[in-house]
């Protein structure tokens, strides 16, 4: 089991850090352990949900809530939530994982309503809520959606008529904040109207949502087409569809834009649901989706203007997905800031990498809406 191997590596690492490694002598084979373990299914009914479990030699198998789950005994012992093993105030482990016997098996298992009780060889008792096990099992994670979303293109979003939130309601009431967050989590964008056109008011609204992250530009910054920084955003050139801060190791999750002053023509904001475009790629060209989620690309920001000297590199695939359920959680796409994408044949995926990236860009180009609002 992978957790068993991980715990073994952690134990060896701690030995290395202490300055000494003890190599165990080879022991005589235990022929008894090679024989198949006699296993029996235990069945019970709890709150109209059937619960059944089976003890195997190296893992525990549980059937509950229409899910078959397998747990390594080391993992179960390591995730004990008793007062001696877990600090409920800090939500951190007190148990040293490396101290857990890699061959550990429970002496006894019993069920009381919706709680499983494991008695370990040293007499320690660990209890697990059945729903907690489902939630934290690998099989349960595969069925879980981290964040429900409404995917949209221009037509879908315009028909939805998603309402904006008034600035005063947003700042002073929980209902206004809740309305904004619901829109943002479902659609990926949300609007606040009637915001005074100052950087101070913009900052006040941003702090209502979350902490403001420090960047090479500062926490809050004002920009216009004066090329005061070495970025296309500080010019009069149009920017095509993209995601920002792709050159950060961890791109920004939430961005706030506030148009403080507008003179002349242009300056419209183009908004795209990249997750909708990704879903189109997955449905119509799954092999391209696999490529875009596996091949890392280098995004680079080089600035040498005035007193600003920065060189930042962020590496990652265009589409970032959770490995256990394939759910998309992050997009890195800014063609202008991509480092040289060498033409290469990926033998494992059987494809030419640069040409396949154009597939996603094609789907992105047909999903845009335009907006000239006060705050996004």
């Amino acid at each position: 089991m992978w957790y068993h191997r991980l715990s073994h590596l952690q134990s060896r690492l701690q030995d290395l850090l202490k300055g000494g490694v003890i190599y165990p002598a080879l022991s005589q084979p235990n022929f008894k352990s090679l024989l198949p373990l006699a296993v029996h299914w235990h069945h019970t009914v709890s709150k109209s949900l059937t619960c059944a479990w089976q003890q195997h030699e190296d893992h525990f198998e549980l059937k509950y809530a229409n899910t078959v789950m397998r747990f390594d005994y080391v993992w179960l012992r390591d995730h004990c939530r008793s007062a001696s093993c877990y600090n409920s105030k800090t939500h951190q482990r007190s148990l040293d994982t490396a101290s857990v016997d890699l061959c550990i098996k429970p002496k006894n298992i019993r069920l009381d309503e919706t709680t499983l009780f494991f008695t370990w060889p040293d007499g320690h008792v660990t209890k697990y809520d059945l729903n907690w096990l489902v939630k934290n099992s690998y099989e349960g994670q595969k069925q879980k959606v981290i964040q429900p979303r409404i995917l949209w293109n221009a037509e879908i979003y315009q028909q939805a008529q998603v309402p904006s939130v008034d600035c005063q309601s947003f700042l002073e009431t929980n209902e206004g904040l809740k309305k904004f967050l619901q829109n943002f989590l479902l659609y990926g964008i949300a609007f606040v109207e009637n915001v005074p056109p100052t950087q101070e008011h913009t900052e006040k609204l941003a702090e209502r949502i979350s902490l403001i992250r420090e960047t090479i530009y500062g926490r809050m910054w004002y920009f216009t087409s004066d090329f005061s920084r070495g970025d296309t955003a500080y010019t009069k050139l149009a920017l095509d569809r993209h995601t920002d801060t792709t050159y950060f190791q961890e791109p920004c999750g939430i961005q706030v834009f506030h148009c403080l002053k507008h003179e002349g023509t242009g300056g419209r904001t183009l908004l795209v649901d990249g997750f909708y475009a990704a879903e189109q790629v997955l449905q119509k060209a799954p092999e391209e989706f696999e490529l875009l989620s596996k091949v890392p690309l280098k995004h680079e920001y080089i600035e040498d203007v005035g007193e600003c000297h920065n060189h930042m590199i962020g590496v990652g695939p265009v589409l970032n997905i959770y490995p256990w359920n394939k759910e998309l959680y992050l997009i890195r796409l800014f063609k202008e800031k991509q480092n040289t994408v060498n033409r290469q044949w990926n033998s494992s995926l059987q494809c030419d990498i640069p040409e396949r990236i154009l597939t996603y860009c094609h789907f992105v180009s047909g999903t845009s809406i335009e907006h000239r609002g006060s705050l996004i």
Side-chain angles (χ1 to χ4, degrees):
M1 301 290 285
W2 68 267
Y3 197 82
H4 187 282
R5 294 194 294 270
L6 178 63
S7 298
H8 174 69
L9 290 174
Q10 182 175 353
S11 178
R12 290 291 299 278
L13 178 59
Q14 289 194 355
D15 288 338
L16 287 170
L17 293 175
K18 293 175 182 177
V21 180
I22 300 175
Y23 292 92
L26 294 176
S27 58
Q28 294 295 321
N30 184 349
F31 293 101
K32 182 178 179 180
S33 66
L34 299 178
L35 297 176
L37 180 69
V39 292
H40 303 280
W41 280 102
H42 301 261
H43 296 268
T44 186
V45 177
S46 177
K47 291 188 175 180
S48 76
L49 288 177
T50 300
C51 174
W53 74 85
Q54 187 179 30
Q55 288 181 254
H56 295 270
E57 180 67 28
D58 60 350
H59 70 279
F60 175 72
E61 186 172 344
L62 174 67
K63 293 181 180 179
Y64 182 70
N66 299 318
T67 305
V68 179
M69 298 156 280
R70 295 169 181 83
F71 300 93
D72 190 292
Y73 291 129
V74 177
W75 185 92
L76 287 167
R77 181 64 186 90
D78 186 47
H79 284 74
C80 178
R81 291 299 188 256
S82 66
S84 62
C85 298
Y86 184 78
N87 190 325
S88 59
K89 293 183 178 179
T90 63
H91 303 285
Q92 295 175 329
R93 286 188 182 89
S94 303
L95 175 67
D96 179 10
T97 301
S99 68
V100 179
D101 183 358
L102 297 181
C103 298
I104 194 170
K105 292 192 291 285
K107 290 175 57 179
N108 181 55
I109 301 175
R110 67 179 179 87
L111 178 72
D112 182 11
E113 293 295 329
T114 60
T115 304
L116 276 168
F117 293 83
F118 279 63
T119 302
W120 301 103
D122 61 357
H124 184 83
V125 177
T126 302
K127 60 181 181 179
Y128 308 95
D129 182 80
L130 291 175
N131 290 322
W132 185 90
L133 288 172
V134 173
K135 177 182 177 182
N136 291 281
S137 68
Y138 180 76
E139 295 81 4
Q141 289 289 325
K142 288 173 65 176
Q143 302 174 12
K144 179 182 178 182
V145 176
I146 303 299
Q147 175 55 54
R149 302 184 181 95
I150 296 177
L151 305 182
W152 51 269
N153 56 17
E155 181 181 2
I156 294 173
Y157 189 81
Q158 290 165 358
Q159 290 180 352
Q161 297 184 335
V162 183
S164 59
V165 181
D166 180 75
C167 175
Q168 185 174 355
S169 174
F170 176 82
L171 289 175
E172 298 178 1
T173 70
N174 289 333
E175 186 60 33
L177 176 62
K178 179 181 178 181
K179 183 179 179 182
F180 173 89
L181 293 175
Q182 285 177 333
N183 292 341
F184 175 75
L185 292 173
L186 283 175
Y187 294 95
I189 58 174
F191 299 90
V192 179
E193 300 290 352
N194 303 318
V195 183
T198 68
Q199 183 170 314
E200 292 72 25
H201 282 88
T202 309
E203 183 173 5
K204 187 176 181 181
L205 264 74
E207 291 176 334
R208 177 81 162 137
I209 302 171
S210 183
L211 296 174
I212 300 176
R213 180 176 173 181
E214 187 70 49
T215 71
I216 59 173
Y217 305 103
R219 294 175 73 252
M220 300 284 298
W221 64 94
Y222 173 87
F223 65 92
T224 187
S225 55
D226 58 1
F227 201 62
S228 59
R229 300 295 299 264
D231 193 287
T232 309
Y234 289 78
T235 71
K236 294 183 179 180
L237 299 174
L239 280 172
D240 201 358
R241 303 155 185 88
H242 65 276
T243 59
D244 282 334
T245 64
T246 55
Y247 44 86
F248 286 6
Q249 284 298 324
E250 183 184 358
C252 294
I254 302 175
Q255 286 187 282
V256 176
F257 294 94
H258 189 183
C259 181
L260 303 183
K261 183 179 181 181
H262 182 267
E263 294 178 349
T265 59
R268 290 175 296 183
T269 298
L270 190 65
L271 301 172
V272 177
D273 185 356
F275 286 69
Y276 174 88
E279 181 65 22
Q280 295 299 303
V281 176
L282 178 62
Q283 297 299 325
K284 299 178 181 179
E287 66 281 358
E288 268 79 359
F289 184 95
E290 181 182 13
L291 168 72
L292 293 170
S293 65
K294 286 186 175 181
V295 178
L297 296 178
K298 182 189 294 184
H299 288 78
E300 190 169 14
Y301 179 77
I302 302 175
E303 180 181 32
D304 191 10
V305 176
E307 297 181 356
C308 301
H309 309 284
N310 295 290
H311 188 179
M312 303 185 69
I313 296 176
V315 179
V318 174
L319 305 177
N320 296 257
I321 62 176
Y322 295 120
W324 55 84
N325 65 355
K326 308 302 181 184
E327 181 181 356
L328 180 65
Y329 68 90
L330 174 69
I331 297 173
R332 290 179 186 258
L333 183 67
F334 201 151
K335 299 194 299 297
E336 289 78 0
K337 286 187 171 62
Q338 281 177 1
N339 197 291
T340 302
V341 182
N342 297 325
R343 295 191 64 84
Q344 56 182 302
W345 180 264
N346 188 300
S347 58
S348 63
L349 296 175
Q350 295 293 304
C351 60
D352 189 4
I353 294 172
E355 292 183 0
R356 292 303 188 270
I357 294 174
L358 296 177
T359 301
Y360 181 67
C361 297
H362 169 74
F363 282 105
V364 165
S365 65
T367 62
S368 312
I369 63 171
E370 292 183 347
H371 181 77
R372 199 202 304 273
S374 59
L375 181 73
I376 300 175

